[in-house]
Amino acid sequence: MKTDYLAIDVGGTNIKYGILDHSGILLFNDKVPSNCHCLDEFYQILDKIIRLNLKRIKGIAVSVPGKVDVRTGTVYFGGALPFLNGATIKKILENKYHILVGVENDGKSAALAELWLRITK
């Protein structure tokens, strides 16, 4: 039964990712260089990360630089990764893997995680 979540933090140098349980406990984490120069290369990196963990997860959270329409999961102004501008990450990943995906700005993601952990403890 799938009970865990995959969190992916996209940065200009690395893409960090981890598996978390429903309580927010980090079970595993790793990183790969984000040496991609276009959207296709970016999705290839995400594909490798997701496929490694797909059997155990029931959702994916992606934090990215730039402005994000959280309803559609579309990125605008990708910060250090300008090719992310206009990327429809939520739609692409949900359609490909048939799993719930949330996309948020990286700074807001960190603040929301801190708030959630304070409330739940």
Side-chain angles (χ1 to χ4, degrees), residues 41-82:
E41 291 174 351
F42 171 73
Y43 283 124
Q44 287 175 17
I45 292 171
L46 290 188
D47 183 63
K48 288 178 186 175
I49 294 168
I50 294 167
R51 286 188 185 278
L52 284 172
N53 298 287
L54 193 57
K55 291 183 180 179
R56 69 185 292 182
I57 59 171
K58 66 179 189 176
I60 302 170
V62 183
S63 66
V64 294
K67 295 182 180 187
V68 177
D69 179 337
V70 295
R71 185 180 50 78
T72 65
T74 304
V75 180
Y76 300 98
F77 314 109
L81 303 170

Side-chain angles (χ1 to χ4, degrees), residues 62-107:
V62 183
S63 66
V64 294
K67 295 182 180 187
V68 177
D69 179 337
V70 295
R71 185 180 50 78
T72 65
T74 304
V75 180
Y76 300 98
F77 314 109
L81 303 170
F83 59 82
L84 287 179
N85 186 43
T88 55
I89 295 172
K90 178 180 174 67
K91 179 182 175 184
I92 297 291
L93 297 183
E94 284 185 343
N95 287 343
K96 185 169 186 174
Y97 302 105
H98 308 287
I99 192 169
L100 287 174
V101 175
V103 182
E104 180 60 271
N105 166 270
D106 50 5

